[in-house]
Amino acid sequence: MNIALFTDSYIPTKSGIVTVVLQLRKVLTEMGHHVVIVTVKPHNYHDPQIDNDPDILRILSVPTPAKIPDQYIGFPFEHIIIPFLKKHDIQIIHSHTEFLIAHAAKLSGKKLHIPVIATTHTLWEDFYEYYLPMGRFIPVKLIRKAVKRLYKKFYALINVSEKAHDYFKEPFMLPGTPSAIIPNALDSNSFIRKPVTEEELASLRKSWGIAPDDVVLLFLGRVVEEKRVEELLDTFIRVIQKNSNVKAMFVGAGGALQDLEKRARDISDRIIFTGYEPWTKVHYYYGIGDIFVTASLSEMHSMTVLEALMSGLPIVARRDSSFTDTIFPGENGYMADSDEEMDGYILDLASDAEKRARFSSKSREISRNFTPDVFGKRTVAFYEKVLAKYPEKLTDEELQAAVDAVL
């Protein structure tokens, strides 16, 4: 099968979407499919390996006006894109964006008479007020109308979670567009490139002032408002006041970091902020964590939760349908209905090493549902059903049955 992936998030940008696209290309190629990429070209960015890759087309791009670092808008020049797709005899286009490059994908599909599908990576009504200029003053109805228009002409949608599926089936969105749920995956070989020894973990804990018997609460990710890090800090403060053996750690950088550091200045020995850490080192921090905690309600299908599963961590989170296939209450973690309810779950796990060990084992077991191999097979099953029916109308039941048959 000849497949084109369209995306406005790609190397050198670092994000969950970039990780998904890279993994998808890799696993599809390993399965024997031919995969090309159509993506943006960041200003002054050059990488000989990518520049010389005949299967990657970089198109003229400019930085996005939204307050999102390292994100670009690509111009949909048909006279460049369509010959590239024809040269590679593309049979299906898979968009990982809803913006201008997605528009180019839909135009190309129409001219080449091939199906164009998309993955719904982002729930924009949870994000827009933080990133769009004057976003706090834009009514959510306008965002919904814009998102509906952007996704309207895709032949079918891949939803990364039950939350994404339910949102796009709302009457105000696209209930008639056929879709199926295919969760994200995590490549253990890429995530854990170098095994970590107990000595290295002990040394890392010591470097941050963490005693051998301390229980470490870990948040890892972008330290930004939409992740509800202010509320998470409140939770951590309440918990450490009740258990002197607990320390909390924020691993990552972001716009809210300075404010959090100021608020926690008087308890800096108990709440640790590492700042930016390269992705190649994050598995070290999962290794010294005892419980992964997140208060975010803006996830579609969290890559950091997948990393926590693979690292064997119990997880405490706010209840959200994006976590229904990764967090199983009472088995590998808990989902709380309020920030205050999280306190009790964290304190329970912090004081029970045997339960943490049991939950840890279950997290590793659950992580096997999200391997690149399973992800690739599910996606190919989706493609094959689309190609078999296009341009006729598909149903959700047909698509989901094809995806589920992989298991």
Side-chain angles (χ1 to χ4, degrees):
M1 197 183 308
N2 298 325
I3 305 152
L5 307 180
F6 279 56
T7 178
D8 50 24
S9 296
Y10 201 63
I11 300 169
T13 298
K14 294 178 176 66
S15 71
I17 295 175
V18 175
T19 300
V20 170
V21 172
L22 289 171
Q23 287 184 165
L24 182 57
R25 186 192 188 198
K26 181 175 182 285
V27 71
L28 291 176
T29 301
E30 289 171 350
M31 293 171 71
H33 302 287
H34 178 53
V35 184
V36 302
I37 305 283
V38 177
T39 189
V40 294
K41 185 175 184 179
H43 184 60
N44 289 332
Y45 171 73
H46 298 286
D47 183 321
Q49 186 175 354
I50 293 177
D51 291 342
N52 297 325
D53 188 333
D55 295 333
I56 298 179
L57 177 65
R58 293 274 194 177
I59 61 175
L60 180 65
S61 310
V62 296
T64 174
K67 296 179 285 185
I68 308 176
D70 300 321
Q71 290 292 326
Y72 293 81
I73 296 172
F75 294 98
F77 293 135
E78 294 175 58
H79 68 283
I80 296 173
I81 296 171
I82 290 178
F84 176 76
L85 300 179
K86 284 182 176 179
K87 177 183 175 182
H88 292 276
D89 194 22
I90 297 302
Q91 298 165 273
I92 186 169
I93 296 173
H94 184 174
S95 179
H96 291 268
T97 177
E98 57 272 51
F99 299 115
L100 279 179
I101 286 186
H103 181 62
K106 287 179 277 190
L107 287 176
S108 300
K110 185 176 182 180
K111 292 204 170 185
L112 297 175
H113 307 289
I114 58 176
V116 183
I117 67 163
T119 293
T120 57
H121 287 289
T122 306
L123 188 57
W124 278 106
E125 66 177 74
D126 283 345
F127 280 84
Y128 77 93
E129 66 180 66
Y130 301 107
Y131 292 113
L132 294 182
M134 305 296 286
R136 296 181 191 275
F137 302 100
I138 300 174
V140 70
K141 285 185 178 180
L142 290 182
I143 298 300
R144 289 176 175 176
K145 285 182 180 179
V147 171
K148 179 178 181 177
R149 184 173 182 179
L150 291 168
Y151 278 102
K152 189 173 183 179
K153 293 187 179 179
F154 287 114
Y155 178 67
L157 300 176
I158 292 176
N159 298 309
V160 296
S161 64
E162 179 184 326
K163 179 179 182 177
H165 172 270
D166 292 349
Y167 179 78
F168 279 89
K169 288 301 176 187
E170 290 281 1
F172 57 78
M173 289 305 296
L174 298 163
T177 301
S179 65
I181 298 173
I182 302 178
N184 289 327
L186 184 63
D187 184 350
S188 60
N189 294 325
S190 296
F191 174 52
I192 306 174
R193 298 185 183 185
K194 177 181 176 293
V196 188
T197 66
E198 290 299 323
E199 291 76 15
E200 288 175 312
L201 293 180
S203 176
L204 183 59
R205 286 174 70 97
K206 185 177 180 181
S207 72
W208 288 108
I210 301 168
D213 60 343
D214 283 338
V215 175
V216 177
L217 312 180
L218 178 72
F219 170 83
L220 193 149
R222 291 183 299 116
V223 184
V224 289
E225 284 184 79
E226 75 269 16
K227 299 290 185 182
R228 301 187 73 248
V229 290
E230 291 278 357
E231 292 81 356
L232 183 59
L233 178 61
D234 291 336
T235 295
F236 284 164
I237 291 172
R238 292 192 299 269
V239 168
I240 66 174
Q241 288 172 343
K242 295 174 182 176
N243 188 326
S244 60
N245 287 332
V246 169
K247 289 189 176 177
M249 178 174 266
F250 285 85
V251 179
L257 181 59
Q258 272 192 322
D259 287 342
L260 296 192
E261 289 176 323
K262 287 178 183 177
R263 285 190 54 203
R265 187 173 295 158
D266 294 338
I267 46 174
S268 59
D269 60 325
R270 303 283 303 281
I271 297 182
I272 301 162
F273 299 93
T274 71
Y276 170 77
E277 290 289 342
W279 195 70
T280 53
K281 290 291 182 69
V282 297
H283 65 288
Y284 286 73
Y285 286 94
Y286 284 109
I288 65 172
D290 293 292
I291 306 167
F292 186 83
V293 188
T294 176
S296 176
L297 294 171
S298 63
E299 308 297 333
M300 276 294 216
H301 197 254
S302 171
M303 294 300 289
T304 57
V305 166
L306 293 185
E307 291 168 358
L309 290 178
M310 189 168 287
S311 303
L313 292 184
I315 302 169
V316 177
R318 281 292 306 274
R319 189 176 305 281
D320 190 83
S321 56
S322 67
F323 301 132
T324 53
D325 59 353
T326 52
I327 304 173
F328 294 83
E331 296 183 41
N332 76 315
Y334 296 106
M335 287 195 279
D337 292 314
S338 68
D339 296 333
E340 291 73 20
E341 188 180 6
M342 291 176 70
D343 301 4
Y345 290 137
I346 295 168
L347 288 164
D348 174 57
L349 282 168
S351 63
D352 192 336
E354 187 279 330
K355 183 179 282 189
R356 292 201 305 274
R358 192 169 71 249
F359 281 25
S360 171
S361 178
K362 188 63 177 180
S363 281
R364 291 186 192 278
E365 179 186 327
I366 293 167
S367 74
R368 292 196 284 271
N369 294 325
F370 306 101
T371 64
D373 179 61
V374 172
F375 177 60
K377 288 177 180 177
R378 285 169 167 163
T379 305
V380 167
F382 188 100
Y383 292 164
E384 288 175 342
K385 179 56 68 173
V386 164
L387 288 168
K389 292 285 289 190
Y390 182 80
E392 296 176 21
K393 181 72 174 176
L394 258 174
T395 67
D396 291 359
E397 291 74 19
E398 287 175 299
L399 276 175
Q400 197 63 58
V403 168
D404 291 345
V406 167
L407 300 180

